[in-house]
Amino acid sequence: MPYYLEHEKFHVAVDSIIFGYDEEGRKLKVLLLKRNFQPSKGEWSLMGGFLKNDESVDEAAKRILQQLTGLSDVYMEQLYTFGELDRDPGARIISVAYFALIKINASDLELVKNHGATWVPITSVPKLIFDHSAMIDKALKKLQIRARTQPIGFELLPDKFTIPQLQGLYEAIYNKSLDKRNFRRKLLSMDLLEKLEEKEKESSRKGAWYYRFDQKKYEDLLNRGFNFEL
Amino acid sequence: MPYYLEHEKFHVAVDSIIFGYDEEGRKLKVLLLKRNFQPSKGEWSLMGGFLKNDESVDEAAKRILQQLTGLSDVYMEQLYTFGELDRDPGARIISVAYFALIKINASDLELVKNHGATWVPITSVPKLIFDHSAMIDKALKKLQIRARTQPIGFELLPDKFTIPQLQGLYEAIYNKSLDKRNFRRKLLSMDLLEKLEEKEKESSRKGAWYYRFDQKKYEDLLNRGFNFEL
DNA sequence: CCAAAAGTGTTCATCGTACACCCATGT
DNA sequence: ACATGGGTGTACGATGAACACTTTTGG
């Protein structure tokens, strides 16, 4: 008999911290849902699900995100594995947490609604079940670190966006206001953005130029050993 | 019947990347062992073991480290969870990887030897089983990042150490040589070290002053919102 | 013409980096 | 006296942070 068959087996779950950016309110938000099963039915929680035999853990995370949002091909990163004995009072469950960055408007809003899910500002997250609050804390910290070292802000915005919009996003991530001259200068000096011949006219009379993230320029920079830093 | 009982269960393992610093050779090393069981018997691997029902994942990592080194109370950090379908050809196993920083001379050298384990320079790690090479790569990168943002170098050195020793360690971690004037200035300016009235005389005629890491000073700095950076 | 947001330059302090010589001592 | 590693200071460029006014245009 092979060695490993002697050992115990465990339920393995995946929980996802799904971030989105609300441009109107200029707020960073997370997608929460009300549990419709026991234990803790009716309480707020992260989106999650159980690992299956025929999928890798990464694949499970993607499947679960797609179930809720309809989205595939999304920025996802493994966050941490939560393995305390009593983290779920119902049973021993090991949970691998992921965080995802999505464009809210690209998601299937009906599907989200049907799951009883809601976008909640990161600054006013209610009490969550189990250790899900700790998961969000950890995810936010990691997002803040990532945002300094990789151009992931663009994952949260539409393909076309203005500099003031992008600044609003970073202000929401760091929860502090930034100097717009310094922000613009640093950002443009990285040579990652392509300026479009089109203005956004909703939020000001003057209008702000649209830009687009240039994936190719970014890859060129990486290959030359560049280190993104905001 | 509770919801979760419908789902599949999995073997969960813990694998540890154990770092140590060899002062004589000025090399960063990892502890590897020859597997004495199937599959892949006789090949090189990391230290690992299976999770048990009565312990958290963190506790399992500590237990496994202690089995090999005799050490408890060691710097350990969860690294990443490896969950590919075919990562272990023998069976579906989810592995939670940890990395540990230990003082080689404080470990139980007999115990290590009896496990068939060997300290191998990070620069010449042989081919390892499964995805263990990827684990080491990831661990080294994380160590390099941590070493810039937290004073964890001290975990790898004896309680008393000299500045040149500490510099040698950082050079081994980053695999590049550092300027000793800049290194010393930055380090001392952080006000983390206590100078002892004693010199190390083995490695030079002049002798180098011993220092000690001052945990209390470090905590004071953290509370004042200090950010360690080398 | 005015309100409201977009856009633009300069100065200063700080920090990282490069660099060369003297010191202490055991043999 | 000399070889070996320990210990010290300075100058320069780059980077981050602070700061106020002009531009555009819809109403």
Side-chain angles (χ1 to χ4, degrees), chain A residues 2-12 37-39 49-59 77-85 88-94 96 98 142, chain B residues 2-12 37-39 49-59 77-85 88-94 96 98 142:
Chain A
Y3 174 74
Y4 36 73
L5 289 188
E6 303 161 20
H7 295 92
E8 296 138 8
K9 298 174 97 174
F10 300 85
H11 289 295
V12 175
F37 56 89
Q38 292 296 354
F50 284 90
L51 178 64
K52 296 182 178 179
N53 258 324
D54 63 350
E55 63 185 1
S56 70
V57 180
D58 281 0
E59 284 162 1
E77 188 175 342
Q78 190 189 303
L79 178 63
Y80 196 78
T81 296
F82 293 80
E84 292 303 308
L85 277 170
D88 183 330
R92 177 78 198 269
I93 297 176
I94 312 295
V96 186
Y98 282 74
K142 198 147 186 169
Chain B
Y3 174 74
Y4 36 74
L5 289 187
E6 303 159 19
H7 295 93
E8 295 139 8
K9 296 174 97 173
F10 300 86
H11 288 295
V12 175
F37 55 89
Q38 292 297 353
F50 285 90
L51 178 64
K52 297 182 177 177
N53 259 325
D54 63 350
E55 63 185 0
S56 71
V57 180
D58 281 0
E59 284 163 0
E77 188 175 342
Q78 190 188 302
L79 177 64
Y80 196 78
T81 296
F82 292 80
E84 292 303 309
L85 276 169
D88 183 329
R92 177 78 198 268
I93 296 176
I94 312 295
V96 185
Y98 282 74
K142 197 147 187 170

Side-chain angles (χ1 to χ4, degrees), chain A residues 52-206:
Chain A
K52 296 182 178 179
N53 258 324
D54 63 350
E55 63 185 1
S56 70
V57 180
D58 281 0
E59 284 162 1
K62 283 181 200 162
R63 170 175 58 80
I64 286 161
L65 182 77
Q66 186 162 19
Q67 271 173 27
L68 179 58
T69 65
L71 296 172
S72 54
D73 228 1
V74 162
Y75 184 93
M76 284 195 90
E77 188 175 342
Q78 190 189 303
L79 178 63
Y80 196 78
T81 296
F82 293 80
E84 292 303 308
L85 277 170
D86 55 353
R87 51 172 297 280
D88 183 330
R92 177 78 198 269
I93 297 176
I94 312 295
S95 172
V96 186
Y98 282 74
F99 77 91
L101 306 181
I102 74 169
K103 311 178 206 292
I104 294 181
N105 293 327
S107 68
D108 184 334
L109 300 177
E110 273 302 307
L111 195 56
V112 169
K113 202 172 182 179
N114 292 341
H115 277 84
T118 316
W119 286 102
V120 176
I122 191 72
T123 51
S124 48
V125 172
K127 188 179 177 307
L128 302 178
I129 60 165
F130 310 164
D131 46 8
H132 287 196
S133 298
M135 289 182 182
I136 290 194
D137 289 348
K138 212 169 180 106
L140 179 59
K141 280 192 186 127
K142 198 147 186 169
L143 173 59
Q144 289 171 338
I145 292 172
R146 276 290 169 282
R148 276 187 206 285
T149 53
Q150 280 175 42
I152 58 173
F154 310 109
E155 306 286 346
L156 292 159
L157 288 176
D159 289 338
K160 291 191 303 187
F161 54 87
T162 68
I163 307 274
Q165 280 170 355
L166 188 61
Q167 180 174 346
L169 168 59
Y170 274 87
E171 290 179 336
I173 290 176
Y174 297 132
N175 193 29
K176 68 172 187 184
S177 55
L178 301 172
D179 182 282
K180 62 178 174 172
R181 287 163 287 193
N182 295 338
F183 182 83
R184 183 181 290 265
R185 177 161 6 95
K186 262 187 274 189
L187 204 86
L188 292 177
S189 75
M190 290 173 189
D191 191 31
L192 289 174
L193 300 185
E194 181 191 358
K195 185 179 180 179
L196 306 181
E197 288 307 315
E198 187 187 355
K199 277 192 167 182
E200 189 275 334
K201 306 279 292 180
E202 298 281 312
S203 52
S204 77
R205 318 240 150 138
K206 183 177 178 181

Side-chain angles (χ1 to χ4, degrees), chain A residues 31-50:
Chain A
L31 196 48
L32 301 181
L33 32 78
K34 279 221 166 107
R35 274 166 82 95
N36 55 7
F37 56 89
Q38 292 296 354
S40 305
K41 186 168 176 176
E43 294 183 49
W44 288 102
S45 81
L46 293 167
M47 178 68 181
F50 284 90

Side-chain angles (χ1 to χ4, degrees), chain B residues 2-208:
Chain B
Y3 174 74
Y4 36 74
L5 289 187
E6 303 159 19
H7 295 93
E8 295 139 8
K9 296 174 97 173
F10 300 86
H11 288 295
V12 175
V14 169
D15 288 304
S16 290
I17 299 94
I18 303 170
F19 288 106
Y21 180 58
D22 167 17
E23 286 174 60
E24 289 77 55
R26 301 198 180 183
K27 287 188 170 168
L28 184 67
K29 295 187 169 179
V30 285
L31 195 49
L32 301 180
L33 30 78
K34 279 222 166 110
R35 274 166 81 96
N36 55 7
F37 55 89
Q38 292 297 353
S40 305
K41 186 169 174 175
E43 294 184 48
W44 289 102
S45 81
L46 294 168
M47 179 67 182
F50 285 90
L51 178 64
K52 297 182 177 177
N53 259 325
D54 63 350
E55 63 185 0
S56 71
V57 180
D58 281 0
E59 284 163 0
K62 283 181 199 163
R63 170 175 59 79
I64 287 161
L65 182 77
Q66 185 163 18
Q67 272 173 26
L68 179 58
T69 65
L71 296 172
S72 54
D73 228 2
V74 161
Y75 183 92
M76 285 195 90
E77 188 175 342
Q78 190 188 302
L79 177 64
Y80 196 78
T81 296
F82 292 80
E84 292 303 309
L85 276 169
D86 54 352
R87 50 172 299 280
D88 183 329
R92 177 78 198 268
I93 296 176
I94 312 295
S95 172
V96 185
Y98 282 74
F99 77 92
L101 306 180
I102 74 170
K103 310 177 206 293
I104 294 181
N105 292 327
S107 68
D108 185 334
L109 301 176
E110 273 302 306
L111 195 56
V112 168
K113 201 172 183 179
N114 292 340
H115 278 85
T118 316
W119 286 102
V120 176
I122 191 73
T123 51
S124 48
V125 171
K127 187 179 177 307
L128 301 179
I129 60 164
F130 311 164
D131 46 8
H132 287 197
S133 298
M135 290 181 181
I136 290 194
D137 288 349
K138 213 168 180 105
L140 178 59
K141 279 190 187 127
K142 197 147 187 170
L143 173 60
Q144 290 172 338
I145 291 172
R146 275 291 169 283
R148 275 187 207 283
T149 52
Q150 280 176 42
I152 58 173
F154 310 109
E155 306 286 346
L156 291 159
L157 288 176
D159 289 339
K160 292 190 303 187
F161 54 86
T162 68
I163 306 274
Q165 279 171 354
L166 187 61
Q167 180 175 348
L169 167 60
Y170 274 88
E171 290 179 336
I173 290 176
Y174 296 132
N175 192 29
K176 69 172 186 183
S177 55
L178 302 171
D179 182 283
K180 61 178 174 172
R181 286 164 290 194
N182 294 340
F183 182 84
R184 181 181 291 267
R185 176 158 13 95
K186 263 187 273 187
L187 204 85
L188 292 178
S189 74
M190 290 173 189
D191 191 30
L192 289 174
L193 300 186
E194 181 190 357
K195 186 178 180 179
L196 305 181
E197 287 308 317
E198 187 187 353
K199 277 192 165 181
E200 189 275 335
K201 307 277 294 181
E202 299 280 312
S203 51
S204 77
R205 320 233 154 162
K206 182 176 178 180

